[in-house]
């Protein structure tokens, strides 16, 4: 029997059986344009077209104010690991708000959810982590890292050890330190960044930098750039190296298997602290609680945010390994850093319920053993599409590269000129047909909610293929192919 041909009409339906919020799209767009400056946005061009108004979420789907359903292939923004519509998180938040909506943790006070969440995070993280510093976001977590590792080295009698090495095309946030650690030149161009004492090495992106090498050879080579930089700066001046286990915002850049073990070896050789930014990889994205476990590395600090609450309420922080925590506790005195909302009881209550869901539904195990391998099997078949030069997944995130002309070896593919912005053309077809898939240059990426089932993976990949076909036709019509 022939399979029924896929058409996106099969998924563009209003939220069946759920109350549709009554939202006047034009009215919201007007006040949005008049008053709301969106993050990372060209304000004028958004005002000209009007923002899409998202009104509802359930499971892996969201709905806009026109009743159109979309598969949220990006989990909000790498956040909604437990999926939308979790009444028990709403209930936990409601109950906590009624009991104690806020109290600070500054002046020798604490609250039960913050203490319980710290203990829970210590229990699910690798054994070197027993302590947590809470923030409200990943950016603040990375600012905390900068201050904490510099404080650590001061206390160790090495005040000159203040340089932090990061990577180009990394994303570590948008505060002054977060943006400085990030390796995006378009961020550094605005606001006089990076701040002093932060330097960058090239990223482990095989397609960009690995020509003529096997992936394994390239992994070792890319890690060697860390050693070169350490020697250039002076090992006695380097405080820490920071990296995302896989680079998310940079386009789902998956390093070769040889990369992280080499990075670990080099950090150990020079006694440099290793910071894993787990804001995206943490809480199951790679089929482990933390991406560091996937790669078998032993960081001294881990930044977290996003998936800790599945994005239901803002929360971030740093898991502090014993090596650093023991020094801060034993020798440190006051650590003059923190936020009004550090350990916010409502956010911590949301996180506790979210982690309970991830555990009780075995979502992390499922991604590792079942749906992650299935996504790999189905998504990587997209390599057969004429526009796709490379398609890869890791856990529950995936990326493909759009190419003008394919070749057996990805380095021999012909690429579109970057000014054509084919990724954005493709993204337009995805959005228009009910699929949220992000474009990062010529890479199209996804990171779906961890609740996505095998049947939903089939539905998503069929839709992606349909949209790639539409993109191909469009590019041909434009005369770009
Ligand atoms: N570290 C990493 C690895 C991140 O991905 C942050 C830190 C900062 O977290 P906050 O909570 O301060 O936003 C992030 C955030 C994108 C995109 O384009 C990714 C993020 C934020 C905005 C856009 O994929 N990640």
């Amino acid at each position: 029997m022939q399979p029924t041909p896929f058409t996106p009409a099969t998924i563009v339906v209003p939220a069946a059986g759920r109350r549709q919020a009554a939202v006047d799209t034009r009215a919201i767009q007007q006040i949005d344009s008049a008053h709301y400056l969106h993050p990372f946005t060209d304000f004028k061009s958004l005002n000209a077209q009007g923002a899409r108004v998202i009104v509802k979420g359930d499971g892996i789907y969201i709905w806009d104010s026109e009743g159109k359903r979309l598969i949220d292939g990006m989990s909000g923004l790498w956040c909604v690991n437990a999926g939308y519509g979790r009444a028990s998180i709403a209930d936990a938040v409601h109950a906590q708000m009624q009991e104690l909506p806020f109290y600070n943790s500054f002046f020798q006070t604490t609250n039960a959810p913050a203490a319980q969440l710290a203990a829970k995070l210590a229990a699910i993280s690798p054994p070197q982590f027993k302590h947590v510093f809470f923030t409200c976001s990943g950016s603040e977590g990375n600012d905390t890292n900068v201050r904490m590792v510099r404080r650590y080295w001061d206390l160790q009698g090495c005040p000159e050890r203040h340089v932090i090495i990061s990577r180009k095309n990394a994303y570590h946030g948008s505060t002054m330190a977060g943006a400085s650690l990030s390796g995006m030149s378009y961020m550094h161009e605005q606001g006089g960044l990076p701040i002093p004492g932060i330097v960058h090495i090239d990223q482990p992106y095989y397609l960009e930098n690995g020509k003529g090498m096997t992936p394994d050879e390239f992994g070792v080579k890319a890690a060697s750039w860390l050693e070169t930089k350490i020697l250039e700066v002076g090992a006695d001046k380097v405080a820490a190296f920071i990296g995302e286990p896989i680079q998310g915002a940079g386009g789902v850049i998956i390093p070769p298997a040889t990369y992280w073990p080499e990075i670990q070896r080099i950090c150990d050789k020079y006694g440099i602290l290793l910071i894993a930014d787990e804001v995206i990889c943490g809480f199951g994205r790679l089929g482990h609680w933390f991406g560091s476990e996937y790669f078998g590395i032993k960081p001294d600090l881990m930044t977290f945010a996003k998936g800790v609450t599945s994005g239901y309420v803002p929360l971030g922080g740093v898991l502090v390994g014993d090596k650093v925590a023991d020094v801060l506790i034993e020798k440190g005195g006051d650590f003059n850093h923190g936020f009004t909302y550090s350990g916010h009881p409502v956010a911590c209550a949301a996180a506790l319920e979210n982690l309970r869901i991830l555990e009780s539904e075995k979502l992390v195990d499922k991604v590792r053993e079942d749906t992650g391998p299935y996504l790999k099997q189905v998504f990587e078949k997209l390599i057969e599409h004429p526009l796709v030069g490379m398609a890869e997944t890791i856990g529950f995130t995936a990326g493909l590269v759009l190419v003008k002309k394919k070749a057996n070896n990805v380095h021999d593919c012909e690429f579109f000129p970057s000014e054509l912005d084919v990724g954005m053309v493709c993204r337009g077809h995805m959005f228009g047909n009910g699929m949220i898939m992000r474009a990062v240059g010529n890479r199209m990426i996804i990171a779906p909610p961890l609740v996505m089932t095998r049947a939903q993976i089939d539905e998503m990949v069929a839709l992606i293929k349909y949209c790639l076909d539409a993109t191909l036709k469009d590019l041909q019509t434009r005369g770009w192919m």
Side-chain angles (χ1 to χ4, degrees), residues 148-389:
M148 199 177 267
V149 299
R150 289 179 174 172
R151 176 80 182 137
Y152 167 83
W153 285 114
D154 289 349
L155 291 168
Q156 292 293 72
C158 307
E160 67 291 352
R161 262 199 189 247
H162 274 198
V163 175
I164 298 168
I165 302 179
S166 182
R167 301 177 298 180
K168 294 179 188 158
N169 199 35
Y171 189 76
H172 296 297
S174 197
T175 47
M176 293 295 276
S180 298
L181 292 168
S182 297
M184 273 92 179
S185 54
Y186 56 85
M187 290 174 75
H188 294 169
E189 281 158 16
Q190 299 179 351
L193 301 177
I195 57 172
I198 293 176
V199 296
H200 297 83
I201 58 173
D202 277 325
Q203 60 174 334
Y205 185 19
Y206 181 61
L207 176 56
E208 183 182 276
N209 295 318
K211 192 166 181 174
M213 287 176 258
T214 65
D216 279 356
E217 286 165 354
F218 172 65
V220 173
K221 174 85 186 155
S224 78
W225 298 329
L226 173 60
E227 186 157 27
T228 307
K229 185 58 90 180
I230 291 168
L231 297 174
E232 183 189 312
V233 172
D236 56 344
K237 295 199 172 51
V238 180
F241 173 76
I242 184 167
E244 307 151 76
I246 60 125
Q247 291 152 253
V252 185
I253 309 296
I254 306 169
T258 50
Y259 179 75
W260 275 111
E262 263 303 283
I263 291 284
Q264 177 81 65
R265 188 188 65 74
I266 294 164
C267 286
D268 290 349
K269 179 174 170 188
Y270 295 97
I272 287 164
L273 297 172
L274 176 57
I275 308 169
D277 184 339
E278 297 272 1
V279 167
I280 281 176
C281 296
F283 307 102
R285 180 58 56 200
L286 305 190
H288 295 264
W289 281 106
F290 296 94
S292 300
E293 295 166 295
Y294 180 99
F295 288 108
I297 52 171
K298 198 168 171 247
D300 298 299
L301 299 126
M302 297 199 299
T303 328
F304 64 88
K306 296 188 187 274
V308 67
T309 58
S310 281
Y312 278 59
V313 183
L315 179 67
V318 176
L319 275 151
V320 186
D322 292 341
K323 185 169 165 183
V324 174
D326 289 351
V327 171
L328 292 177
I329 293 165
E330 293 307 320
K331 299 197 205 169
D334 278 353
F335 180 46
N336 300 319
H337 175 72
F339 304 98
T340 301
Y341 301 123
S342 288
H344 195 292
V346 174
C348 293
L352 283 165
E353 178 54 19
N354 173 59
L355 296 180
R356 193 199 61 74
I357 291 170
L358 296 184
E359 268 185 333
S360 72
E361 296 182 13
K362 298 190 169 33
L363 291 173
V364 181
D365 300 339
K366 232 179 182 163
V367 165
R368 186 178 61 253
E369 286 158 19
D370 178 22
T371 49
Y374 188 67
L375 177 67
K376 184 173 210 56
Q377 186 188 321
V378 180
F379 186 90
E380 291 187 355
K381 280 216 188 88
L382 291 169
I383 190 69
E384 290 161 14
H385 194 275
L387 266 182
V388 177

